[in-house]
Amino acid sequence: MTDTQPQPQASPPAAACFCVIAHAVTAADRERIRNAIDYAREVGDLEALPLLLLQLTGPCPARA
């Protein structure tokens, strides 16, 4: 016989961001975007920087 009861989670799943520019919701998302910002600065990609910064800033219902 198999156990069909759901197992308790350590933490609730992160809410998903449905904004036009997807915001970083989890710590892993923020770290990924920080690395992308560092890379964009390194290669001089000035068009990517505003979009990446918008992902880290601004109000987002998923972060509430």
Side-chain angles (χ1 to χ4, degrees), residues 15-60:
C17 173
F18 295 105
C19 298
V20 173
I21 295 179
H23 294 101
V25 179
T26 65
D29 290 342
R30 287 187 291 278
E31 183 64 27
R32 179 184 50 80
I33 293 171
R34 276 192 225 111
N35 291 338
I37 289 171
D38 290 342
Y39 180 74
R41 286 179 176 160
E42 183 179 318
V43 298
D45 189 354
L46 299 178
E47 293 177 6
L49 284 173
L51 295 174
L52 291 167
L53 292 171
L54 283 172
Q55 290 181 319
L56 289 178
T57 60
C60 179

